[in-house]
């Protein structure tokens, strides 16, 4: 499940905006709700991340998917 989070002034993974089954649906919702210019994909321990940055490359949100069996 892909979860879209918006920066709330204190945490990048602050306010949960929505949950989606596909990455493309999550990106569409993020584009509608969050004003971001760059999306950077990364993989961490047990999760896939898409960092959402504004024009100045400051983080404004993140899309997270937990992955089973991640190390």
């Amino acid at each position: 499940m892909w979860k879209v989070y918006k920066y709330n002034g204190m945490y990048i993974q602050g306010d949960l905006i929505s949950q989606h089954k596909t990455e493309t649906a999550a990106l569409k919702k993020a584009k509608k709700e969050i004003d971001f210019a760059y999306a950077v994909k990364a993989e961490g321990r047990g999760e896939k991340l898409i960092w959402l940055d504004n024009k100045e490359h400051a983080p404004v949100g993140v899309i997270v998917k937990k992955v089973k069996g991640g190390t």
Side-chain angles (χ1 to χ4, degrees):
M1 185 69 63
W2 293 91
K3 296 181 181 181
V4 181
Y5 291 95
K6 184 176 183 179
Y7 177 65
N8 66 359
M10 183 173 252
Y11 299 106
I12 297 169
Q13 192 171 341
D15 299 331
L16 177 64
I17 302 296
S18 60
Q19 298 181 8
H20 303 276
K21 289 187 178 185
T22 64
E23 178 182 346
T24 55
L27 281 169
K28 281 183 183 179
K29 183 65 172 185
K31 191 65 179 173
K32 191 175 185 182
E33 296 289 326
I34 304 170
D35 183 30
F36 70 94
Y38 304 100
V40 180
K41 293 183 181 180
E43 290 193 29
R45 287 190 232 172
E47 61 187 10
K48 290 184 179 181
L49 302 167
I50 302 174
W51 294 100
L52 307 174
D53 297 343
N54 63 12
K55 292 177 187 174
E56 291 82 31
H57 293 280
V60 292
V62 66
I63 301 173
V64 180
K65 180 182 182 184
K66 299 289 183 187
V67 179
K68 293 182 182 176
T71 57

